[in-house]
Amino acid sequence: MFSGGPGSRMSMASVDTTMQAFDMEKQKILSQLADIFNRQNYLLVASRALMGFGAPLHRLEANLVAIAINLDVAATFAVLPGIILITFGDEDTRTSETYVVRMTPGYDMHRLERTNRTIRRVLKGRISVGKGVKEIERILATPPLYPWWAMIMDYVVCSFFICPLFWSGSWRDAAISAMLGLIVGLLQLTAGRFANYANLFEVSSAFIVSFIAALLQDYVCFGTVSFSGIAMLLPGLALTTSIIEMASRNMITGTVRFIFAMCRCFMLGYGISVGSTLGTRVLGRSTSVDLLADQMSSTSGLGNCNDGVNKYWWFLFLPVLSLSFNMSISAHWRQWPIMLIAGCLAYTVSYFSALSEALAPLAPAIAAFAMGLFANGMATFSNHRSAIEPILGGVQLLVPGSLGLRTVLAFITSSGNSSGNFLYDMFSTSLSIAVGLFLSGMVVFPNRKKRVGLMTF
């Protein structure tokens, strides 16, 4: 039988053409799906990096929404401390898929700047989404900027210079505080290597510092040395950011952070109480409650510490202390100048504002406003694309971490009036800083393009 005429050949050609069109359509759909999954993966890794490196949580949700809109991804976000819930929706199938991104919040200004730069390059189309994913994953895998010995020395430097600058300590107080800071730094290194000890780190550090300070109470100012020795552990930044988050109506994140900061204050206060009790009893003297009450009676020097260093030394102490704080949040040396200027500006404005009786209650707000104007202005009109780094560099010199601890110590010593005053001062200082930063953001908007996130406080 004869077959394979012209009609048959035309039918086969039509089938081949249909199959080719089907394959092309299939490849197109697969390519579109791969592109969608790639953009979703980009949002997942970007959210991990932003939370882990210190992006403000009260603006993180808005920043992620701005990135998703720019990438044309249908996504909703719910930001909680340590967790981001990301839901990707499909309007065609009316289905959704939720991912849980877990990341321990921390501060790493160098890697945050690199992440922010990568995000902007992707949003501006300078690099592809896939390359952006690889770069952010590479940033996440980058080891810490400073080695362990540098971080230990940072504890020493911070304790030495903060003693005369913040608590009117003498040279002897500063030297003992530096030695105690070295002990705390070594304990921090131990806590990072042994998980079982990490839960006792704050209590044991405060206990050892206060015990040694109580033994040396005849030679040093107990309150000044105790606070300076654990200066790097004071949760002042956490207290302030929690108030900022609650003031911006992010109640869950703000409340959780505030409770954690106060719990840390109680752990430090408990360690100081027990250490001072044991130290004074070793000397055969009265209980440490009397000693603590004496230290709490002063609002400036934390005791009879009237032999502070000459204030001309502050011109040297302030920049070095600011650099020490910058190292504690892993700022790169290229970020130091702008963070140093912001820190010195905040402290100077706060100091001179407090000299006036009329401006003293507003000193933290005025300082935060001036610092915010500088940081947002630099982010707007220069190559510094983020205002977070300089703001954190200045906020660390304004935060009321010691007030939180003094509140706890006042409760321990049953000084009800003192505890109430310190608690009010802590809240008012934090709220003043929040108001100043919010006002500065209204006056100078740190980003003139609405398609990208607002990387500021």
Side-chain angles (χ1 to χ4, degrees), residues 207-241:
F207 169 79
I208 294 174
V209 167
S210 63
F211 176 73
I212 297 176
L215 292 178
L216 300 175
Q217 60 183 275
D218 292 335
Y219 309 98
V220 298
C221 178
F222 171 79
T224 297
V225 171
S226 298
F227 277 32
S228 301
I230 59 173
M232 294 288 282
L233 305 184
L234 296 177
L237 187 57
L239 285 171
T240 302
T241 52

PDB file of all heavy atoms in Angstrom, residues 207-241:
ATOM      1  N   PHE A 207      29.381  39.842  88.702  1.00  0.00           N
ATOM      2  CA  PHE A 207      29.818  39.366  90.021  1.00  0.00           C
ATOM      3  C   PHE A 207      31.316  39.571  90.207  1.00  0.00           C
ATOM      4  O   PHE A 207      31.763  40.110  91.230  1.00  0.00           O
ATOM      5  CB  PHE A 207      29.465  37.892  90.177  1.00  0.00           C
ATOM      6  CG  PHE A 207      30.097  37.232  91.365  1.00  0.00           C
ATOM      7  CD1 PHE A 207      29.571  37.409  92.636  1.00  0.00           C
ATOM      8  CD2 PHE A 207      31.240  36.455  91.226  1.00  0.00           C
ATOM      9  CE1 PHE A 207      30.164  36.817  93.738  1.00  0.00           C
ATOM     10  CE2 PHE A 207      31.837  35.861  92.316  1.00  0.00           C
ATOM     11  CZ  PHE A 207      31.297  36.046  93.584  1.00  0.00           C
ATOM     12  N   ILE A 208      32.126  39.156  89.233  1.00  0.00           N
ATOM     13  CA  ILE A 208      33.576  39.275  89.360  1.00  0.00           C
ATOM     14  C   ILE A 208      33.999  40.740  89.425  1.00  0.00           C
ATOM     15  O   ILE A 208      34.837  41.127  90.248  1.00  0.00           O
ATOM     16  CB  ILE A 208      34.266  38.551  88.181  1.00  0.00           C
ATOM     17  CG1 ILE A 208      34.004  37.046  88.268  1.00  0.00           C
ATOM     18  CG2 ILE A 208      35.763  38.830  88.174  1.00  0.00           C
ATOM     19  CD1 ILE A 208      34.518  36.266  87.079  1.00  0.00           C
ATOM     20  N   VAL A 209      33.405  41.570  88.568  1.00  0.00           N
ATOM     21  CA  VAL A 209      33.766  42.989  88.545  1.00  0.00           C
ATOM     22  C   VAL A 209      33.415  43.657  89.868  1.00  0.00           C
ATOM     23  O   VAL A 209      34.232  44.381  90.458  1.00  0.00           O
ATOM     24  CB  VAL A 209      33.061  43.689  87.363  1.00  0.00           C
ATOM     25  CG1 VAL A 209      33.146  45.212  87.502  1.00  0.00           C
ATOM     26  CG2 VAL A 209      33.671  43.251  86.039  1.00  0.00           C
ATOM     27  N   SER A 210      32.207  43.440  90.363  1.00  0.00           N
ATOM     28  CA  SER A 210      31.804  44.087  91.613  1.00  0.00           C
ATOM     29  C   SER A 210      32.555  43.520  92.807  1.00  0.00           C
ATOM     30  O   SER A 210      32.843  44.252  93.770  1.00  0.00           O
ATOM     31  CB  SER A 210      30.298  43.929  91.820  1.00  0.00           C
ATOM     32  OG  SER A 210      29.944  42.554  91.953  1.00  0.00           O
ATOM     33  N   PHE A 211      32.904  42.239  92.780  1.00  0.00           N
ATOM     34  CA  PHE A 211      33.667  41.645  93.880  1.00  0.00           C
ATOM     35  C   PHE A 211      35.049  42.293  93.988  1.00  0.00           C
ATOM     36  O   PHE A 211      35.489  42.672  95.079  1.00  0.00           O
ATOM     37  CB  PHE A 211      33.791  40.140  93.654  1.00  0.00           C
ATOM     38  CG  PHE A 211      34.640  39.434  94.685  1.00  0.00           C
ATOM     39  CD1 PHE A 211      34.161  39.231  95.965  1.00  0.00           C
ATOM     40  CD2 PHE A 211      35.910  38.989  94.369  1.00  0.00           C
ATOM     41  CE1 PHE A 211      34.937  38.585  96.928  1.00  0.00           C
ATOM     42  CE2 PHE A 211      36.695  38.344  95.311  1.00  0.00           C
ATOM     43  CZ  PHE A 211      36.207  38.144  96.598  1.00  0.00           C
ATOM     44  N   ILE A 212      35.726  42.431  92.851  1.00  0.00           N
ATOM     45  CA  ILE A 212      37.048  43.063  92.873  1.00  0.00           C
ATOM     46  C   ILE A 212      36.929  44.531  93.255  1.00  0.00           C
ATOM     47  O   ILE A 212      37.743  45.056  94.032  1.00  0.00           O
ATOM     48  CB  ILE A 212      37.726  42.898  91.499  1.00  0.00           C
ATOM     49  CG1 ILE A 212      37.966  41.416  91.203  1.00  0.00           C
ATOM     50  CG2 ILE A 212      39.041  43.665  91.443  1.00  0.00           C
ATOM     51  CD1 ILE A 212      38.541  41.151  89.823  1.00  0.00           C
ATOM     52  N   ALA A 213      35.909  45.214  92.729  1.00  0.00           N
ATOM     53  CA  ALA A 213      35.736  46.625  93.074  1.00  0.00           C
ATOM     54  C   ALA A 213      35.428  46.799  94.551  1.00  0.00           C
ATOM     55  O   ALA A 213      35.884  47.770  95.183  1.00  0.00           O
ATOM     56  CB  ALA A 213      34.618  47.227  92.226  1.00  0.00           C
ATOM     57  N   ALA A 214      34.649  45.870  95.138  1.00  0.00           N
ATOM     58  CA  ALA A 214      34.353  45.959  96.571  1.00  0.00           C
ATOM     59  C   ALA A 214      35.608  45.732  97.413  1.00  0.00           C
ATOM     60  O   ALA A 214      35.784  46.379  98.453  1.00  0.00           O
ATOM     61  CB  ALA A 214      33.263  44.953  96.940  1.00  0.00           C
ATOM     62  N   LEU A 215      36.470  44.830  96.971  1.00  0.00           N
ATOM     63  CA  LEU A 215      37.728  44.604  97.699  1.00  0.00           C
ATOM     64  C   LEU A 215      38.617  45.840  97.655  1.00  0.00           C
ATOM     65  O   LEU A 215      39.400  46.081  98.590  1.00  0.00           O
ATOM     66  CB  LEU A 215      38.464  43.402  97.098  1.00  0.00           C
ATOM     67  CG  LEU A 215      37.827  42.021  97.291  1.00  0.00           C
ATOM     68  CD1 LEU A 215      38.666  40.954  96.598  1.00  0.00           C
ATOM     69  CD2 LEU A 215      37.665  41.682  98.774  1.00  0.00           C
ATOM     70  N   LEU A 216      38.506  46.625  96.585  1.00  0.00           N
ATOM     71  CA  LEU A 216      39.358  47.811  96.420  1.00  0.00           C
ATOM     72  C   LEU A 216      38.609  49.098  96.739  1.00  0.00           C
ATOM     73  O   LEU A 216      39.029  50.167  96.319  1.00  0.00           O
ATOM     74  CB  LEU A 216      39.875  47.870  94.979  1.00  0.00           C
ATOM     75  CG  LEU A 216      40.707  46.680  94.504  1.00  0.00           C
ATOM     76  CD1 LEU A 216      41.048  46.839  93.019  1.00  0.00           C
ATOM     77  CD2 LEU A 216      41.980  46.545  95.330  1.00  0.00           C
ATOM     78  N   GLN A 217      37.541  49.001  97.528  1.00  0.00           N
ATOM     79  CA  GLN A 217      36.697  50.178  97.755  1.00  0.00           C
ATOM     80  C   GLN A 217      37.406  51.279  98.521  1.00  0.00           C
ATOM     81  O   GLN A 217      36.985  52.442  98.463  1.00  0.00           O
ATOM     82  CB  GLN A 217      35.425  49.774  98.492  1.00  0.00           C
ATOM     83  CG  GLN A 217      35.685  49.145  99.859  1.00  0.00           C
ATOM     84  CD  GLN A 217      34.405  48.690 100.529  1.00  0.00           C
ATOM     85  OE1 GLN A 217      33.738  49.472 101.190  1.00  0.00           O
ATOM     86  NE2 GLN A 217      34.048  47.436 100.322  1.00  0.00           N
ATOM     87  N   ASP A 218      38.475  50.964  99.218  1.00  0.00           N
ATOM     88  CA  ASP A 218      39.220  52.010  99.919  1.00  0.00           C
ATOM     89  C   ASP A 218      40.087  52.827  98.979  1.00  0.00           C
ATOM     90  O   ASP A 218      40.566  53.908  99.351  1.00  0.00           O
ATOM     91  CB  ASP A 218      40.110  51.390 101.005  1.00  0.00           C
ATOM     92  CG  ASP A 218      39.291  50.795 102.141  1.00  0.00           C
ATOM     93  OD1 ASP A 218      38.146  51.256 102.338  1.00  0.00           O
ATOM     94  OD2 ASP A 218      39.778  49.863 102.802  1.00  0.00           O
ATOM     95  N   TYR A 219      40.313  52.328  97.787  1.00  0.00           N
ATOM     96  CA  TYR A 219      41.228  52.980  96.846  1.00  0.00           C
ATOM     97  C   TYR A 219      40.524  53.505  95.587  1.00  0.00           C
ATOM     98  O   TYR A 219      41.074  54.383  94.917  1.00  0.00           O
ATOM     99  CB  TYR A 219      42.329  51.997  96.422  1.00  0.00           C
ATOM    100  CG  TYR A 219      43.016  51.335  97.591  1.00  0.00           C
ATOM    101  CD1 TYR A 219      42.645  50.062  98.014  1.00  0.00           C
ATOM    102  CD2 TYR A 219      44.024  51.999  98.295  1.00  0.00           C
ATOM    103  CE1 TYR A 219      43.268  49.453  99.086  1.00  0.00           C
ATOM    104  CE2 TYR A 219      44.652  51.405  99.375  1.00  0.00           C
ATOM    105  CZ  TYR A 219      44.272  50.130  99.771  1.00  0.00           C
ATOM    106  OH  TYR A 219      44.891  49.535 100.844  1.00  0.00           O
ATOM    107  N   VAL A 220      39.392  52.952  95.259  1.00  0.00           N
ATOM    108  CA  VAL A 220      38.693  53.361  94.039  1.00  0.00           C
ATOM    109  C   VAL A 220      37.234  53.646  94.379  1.00  0.00           C
ATOM    110  O   VAL A 220      36.740  53.284  95.454  1.00  0.00           O
ATOM    111  CB  VAL A 220      38.764  52.260  92.952  1.00  0.00           C
ATOM    112  CG1 VAL A 220      40.208  51.999  92.547  1.00  0.00           C
ATOM    113  CG2 VAL A 220      38.085  50.982  93.421  1.00  0.00           C
ATOM    114  N   CYS A 221      36.566  54.288  93.450  1.00  0.00           N
ATOM    115  CA  CYS A 221      35.130  54.536  93.581  1.00  0.00           C
ATOM    116  C   CYS A 221      34.378  53.294  93.102  1.00  0.00           C
ATOM    117  O   CYS A 221      34.460  52.930  91.919  1.00  0.00           O
ATOM    118  CB  CYS A 221      34.737  55.755  92.746  1.00  0.00           C
ATOM    119  SG  CYS A 221      32.972  56.134  92.794  1.00  0.00           S
ATOM    120  N   PHE A 222      33.682  52.654  94.028  1.00  0.00           N
ATOM    121  CA  PHE A 222      33.060  51.364  93.709  1.00  0.00           C
ATOM    122  C   PHE A 222      32.085  51.463  92.547  1.00  0.00           C
ATOM    123  O   PHE A 222      32.151  50.681  91.593  1.00  0.00           O
ATOM    124  CB  PHE A 222      32.334  50.837  94.954  1.00  0.00           C
ATOM    125  CG  PHE A 222      31.485  49.628  94.676  1.00  0.00           C
ATOM    126  CD1 PHE A 222      32.059  48.373  94.566  1.00  0.00           C
ATOM    127  CD2 PHE A 222      30.113  49.748  94.504  1.00  0.00           C
ATOM    128  CE1 PHE A 222      31.284  47.263  94.297  1.00  0.00           C
ATOM    129  CE2 PHE A 222      29.323  48.640  94.226  1.00  0.00           C
ATOM    130  CZ  PHE A 222      29.920  47.399  94.131  1.00  0.00           C
ATOM    131  N   GLY A 223      31.177  52.420  92.593  1.00  0.00           N
ATOM    132  CA  GLY A 223      30.167  52.521  91.545  1.00  0.00           C
ATOM    133  C   GLY A 223      30.771  52.814  90.186  1.00  0.00           C
ATOM    134  O   GLY A 223      30.394  52.216  89.175  1.00  0.00           O
ATOM    135  N   THR A 224      31.725  53.748  90.155  1.00  0.00           N
ATOM    136  CA  THR A 224      32.351  54.105  88.886  1.00  0.00           C
ATOM    137  C   THR A 224      33.096  52.932  88.275  1.00  0.00           C
ATOM    138  O   THR A 224      32.972  52.638  87.076  1.00  0.00           O
ATOM    139  CB  THR A 224      33.309  55.290  89.100  1.00  0.00           C
ATOM    140  OG1 THR A 224      32.560  56.423  89.542  1.00  0.00           O
ATOM    141  CG2 THR A 224      34.050  55.633  87.818  1.00  0.00           C
ATOM    142  N   VAL A 225      33.884  52.250  89.079  1.00  0.00           N
ATOM    143  CA  VAL A 225      34.671  51.123  88.575  1.00  0.00           C
ATOM    144  C   VAL A 225      33.761  49.960  88.169  1.00  0.00           C
ATOM    145  O   VAL A 225      33.994  49.313  87.138  1.00  0.00           O
ATOM    146  CB  VAL A 225      35.687  50.677  89.644  1.00  0.00           C
ATOM    147  CG1 VAL A 225      36.371  49.378  89.240  1.00  0.00           C
ATOM    148  CG2 VAL A 225      36.724  51.768  89.868  1.00  0.00           C
ATOM    149  N   SER A 226      32.721  49.714  88.943  1.00  0.00           N
ATOM    150  CA  SER A 226      31.809  48.621  88.607  1.00  0.00           C
ATOM    151  C   SER A 226      31.102  48.871  87.286  1.00  0.00           C
ATOM    152  O   SER A 226      31.029  47.992  86.424  1.00  0.00           O
ATOM    153  CB  SER A 226      30.779  48.423  89.726  1.00  0.00           C
ATOM    154  OG  SER A 226      31.399  48.071  90.936  1.00  0.00           O
ATOM    155  N   PHE A 227      30.596  50.079  87.106  1.00  0.00           N
ATOM    156  CA  PHE A 227      29.885  50.388  85.870  1.00  0.00           C
ATOM    157  C   PHE A 227      30.832  50.419  84.677  1.00  0.00           C
ATOM    158  O   PHE A 227      30.492  49.966  83.592  1.00  0.00           O
ATOM    159  CB  PHE A 227      29.155  51.726  85.996  1.00  0.00           C
ATOM    160  CG  PHE A 227      27.823  51.610  86.683  1.00  0.00           C
ATOM    161  CD1 PHE A 227      27.607  50.677  87.674  1.00  0.00           C
ATOM    162  CD2 PHE A 227      26.784  52.450  86.345  1.00  0.00           C
ATOM    163  CE1 PHE A 227      26.388  50.563  88.310  1.00  0.00           C
ATOM    164  CE2 PHE A 227      25.547  52.362  86.972  1.00  0.00           C
ATOM    165  CZ  PHE A 227      25.354  51.411  87.958  1.00  0.00           C
ATOM    166  N   SER A 228      32.022  50.970  84.877  1.00  0.00           N
ATOM    167  CA  SER A 228      32.977  51.050  83.768  1.00  0.00           C
ATOM    168  C   SER A 228      33.464  49.670  83.353  1.00  0.00           C
ATOM    169  O   SER A 228      33.684  49.419  82.166  1.00  0.00           O
ATOM    170  CB  SER A 228      34.171  51.926  84.165  1.00  0.00           C
ATOM    171  OG  SER A 228      33.752  53.235  84.511  1.00  0.00           O
ATOM    172  N   GLY A 229      33.635  48.779  84.322  1.00  0.00           N
ATOM    173  CA  GLY A 229      34.116  47.441  83.995  1.00  0.00           C
ATOM    174  C   GLY A 229      33.156  46.658  83.116  1.00  0.00           C
ATOM    175  O   GLY A 229      33.584  45.848  82.286  1.00  0.00           O
ATOM    176  N   ILE A 230      31.858  46.893  83.300  1.00  0.00           N
ATOM    177  CA  ILE A 230      30.859  46.168  82.495  1.00  0.00           C
ATOM    178  C   ILE A 230      30.187  47.112  81.494  1.00  0.00           C
ATOM    179  O   ILE A 230      29.058  46.860  81.065  1.00  0.00           O
ATOM    180  CB  ILE A 230      29.800  45.516  83.400  1.00  0.00           C
ATOM    181  CG1 ILE A 230      29.090  46.576  84.248  1.00  0.00           C
ATOM    182  CG2 ILE A 230      30.413  44.434  84.276  1.00  0.00           C
ATOM    183  CD1 ILE A 230      27.914  46.036  85.053  1.00  0.00           C
ATOM    184  N   ALA A 231      30.890  48.176  81.098  1.00  0.00           N
ATOM    185  CA  ALA A 231      30.284  49.180  80.212  1.00  0.00           C
ATOM    186  C   ALA A 231      29.818  48.574  78.903  1.00  0.00           C
ATOM    187  O   ALA A 231      28.766  48.947  78.373  1.00  0.00           O
ATOM    188  CB  ALA A 231      31.290  50.306  79.949  1.00  0.00           C
ATOM    189  N   MET A 232      30.569  47.614  78.365  1.00  0.00           N
ATOM    190  CA  MET A 232      30.197  47.018  77.082  1.00  0.00           C
ATOM    191  C   MET A 232      28.975  46.118  77.198  1.00  0.00           C
ATOM    192  O   MET A 232      28.386  45.747  76.183  1.00  0.00           O
ATOM    193  CB  MET A 232      31.376  46.215  76.528  1.00  0.00           C
ATOM    194  CG  MET A 232      32.565  47.062  76.149  1.00  0.00           C
ATOM    195  SD  MET A 232      32.296  48.046  74.666  1.00  0.00           S
ATOM    196  CE  MET A 232      32.523  46.810  73.407  1.00  0.00           C
ATOM    197  N   LEU A 233      28.589  45.769  78.424  1.00  0.00           N
ATOM    198  CA  LEU A 233      27.432  44.892  78.626  1.00  0.00           C
ATOM    199  C   LEU A 233      26.157  45.668  78.930  1.00  0.00           C
ATOM    200  O   LEU A 233      25.071  45.085  78.918  1.00  0.00           O
ATOM    201  CB  LEU A 233      27.705  43.911  79.775  1.00  0.00           C
ATOM    202  CG  LEU A 233      28.965  43.048  79.668  1.00  0.00           C
ATOM    203  CD1 LEU A 233      29.027  42.077  80.846  1.00  0.00           C
ATOM    204  CD2 LEU A 233      29.006  42.311  78.353  1.00  0.00           C
ATOM    205  N   LEU A 234      26.265  46.953  79.194  1.00  0.00           N
ATOM    206  CA  LEU A 234      25.083  47.736  79.521  1.00  0.00           C
ATOM    207  C   LEU A 234      24.166  47.812  78.302  1.00  0.00           C
ATOM    208  O   LEU A 234      24.606  48.178  77.208  1.00  0.00           O
ATOM    209  CB  LEU A 234      25.483  49.145  79.967  1.00  0.00           C
ATOM    210  CG  LEU A 234      26.301  49.233  81.259  1.00  0.00           C
ATOM    211  CD1 LEU A 234      26.695  50.676  81.535  1.00  0.00           C
ATOM    212  CD2 LEU A 234      25.526  48.663  82.439  1.00  0.00           C
ATOM    213  N   PRO A 235      22.895  47.487  78.469  1.00  0.00           N
ATOM    214  CA  PRO A 235      21.982  47.409  77.312  1.00  0.00           C
ATOM    215  C   PRO A 235      21.361  48.745  76.940  1.00  0.00           C
ATOM    216  O   PRO A 235      20.158  48.835  76.677  1.00  0.00           O
ATOM    217  CB  PRO A 235      20.920  46.414  77.795  1.00  0.00           C
ATOM    218  CG  PRO A 235      20.842  46.661  79.266  1.00  0.00           C
ATOM    219  CD  PRO A 235      22.243  47.045  79.710  1.00  0.00           C
ATOM    220  N   GLY A 236      22.157  49.791  76.910  1.00  0.00           N
ATOM    221  CA  GLY A 236      21.601  51.096  76.602  1.00  0.00           C
ATOM    222  C   GLY A 236      21.071  51.194  75.185  1.00  0.00           C
ATOM    223  O   GLY A 236      19.998  51.765  74.947  1.00  0.00           O
ATOM    224  N   LEU A 237      21.804  50.634  74.220  1.00  0.00           N
ATOM    225  CA  LEU A 237      21.347  50.675  72.835  1.00  0.00           C
ATOM    226  C   LEU A 237      20.065  49.881  72.653  1.00  0.00           C
ATOM    227  O   LEU A 237      19.154  50.303  71.929  1.00  0.00           O
ATOM    228  CB  LEU A 237      22.453  50.136  71.913  1.00  0.00           C
ATOM    229  CG  LEU A 237      22.199  50.255  70.412  1.00  0.00           C
ATOM    230  CD1 LEU A 237      21.956  51.700  70.009  1.00  0.00           C
ATOM    231  CD2 LEU A 237      23.369  49.677  69.627  1.00  0.00           C
ATOM    232  N   ALA A 238      19.966  48.733  73.321  1.00  0.00           N
ATOM    233  CA  ALA A 238      18.745  47.930  73.224  1.00  0.00           C
ATOM    234  C   ALA A 238      17.558  48.653  73.857  1.00  0.00           C
ATOM    235  O   ALA A 238      16.435  48.614  73.326  1.00  0.00           O
ATOM    236  CB  ALA A 238      18.953  46.572  73.899  1.00  0.00           C
ATOM    237  N   LEU A 239      17.782  49.327  74.985  1.00  0.00           N
ATOM    238  CA  LEU A 239      16.699  50.076  75.619  1.00  0.00           C
ATOM    239  C   LEU A 239      16.209  51.205  74.713  1.00  0.00           C
ATOM    240  O   LEU A 239      15.000  51.409  74.549  1.00  0.00           O
ATOM    241  CB  LEU A 239      17.184  50.644  76.958  1.00  0.00           C
ATOM    242  CG  LEU A 239      17.314  49.670  78.124  1.00  0.00           C
ATOM    243  CD1 LEU A 239      18.016  50.336  79.300  1.00  0.00           C
ATOM    244  CD2 LEU A 239      15.949  49.150  78.549  1.00  0.00           C
ATOM    245  N   THR A 240      17.144  51.925  74.116  1.00  0.00           N
ATOM    246  CA  THR A 240      16.756  53.047  73.274  1.00  0.00           C
ATOM    247  C   THR A 240      16.032  52.586  72.018  1.00  0.00           C
ATOM    248  O   THR A 240      14.991  53.154  71.639  1.00  0.00           O
ATOM    249  CB  THR A 240      18.002  53.868  72.888  1.00  0.00           C
ATOM    250  OG1 THR A 240      18.656  54.321  74.080  1.00  0.00           O
ATOM    251  CG2 THR A 240      17.623  55.074  72.045  1.00  0.00           C
ATOM    252  N   THR A 241      16.556  51.568  71.341  1.00  0.00           N
ATOM    253  CA  THR A 241      15.894  51.079  70.132  1.00  0.00           C
ATOM    254  C   THR A 241      14.521  50.493  70.451  1.00  0.00           C
ATOM    255  O   THR A 241      13.598  50.594  69.628  1.00  0.00           O
ATOM    256  CB  THR A 241      16.758  50.031  69.432  1.00  0.00           C
ATOM    257  OG1 THR A 241      17.146  49.012  70.368  1.00  0.00           O
ATOM    258  CG2 THR A 241      18.011  50.657  68.853  1.00  0.00           C
TER     259      THR A 241
END
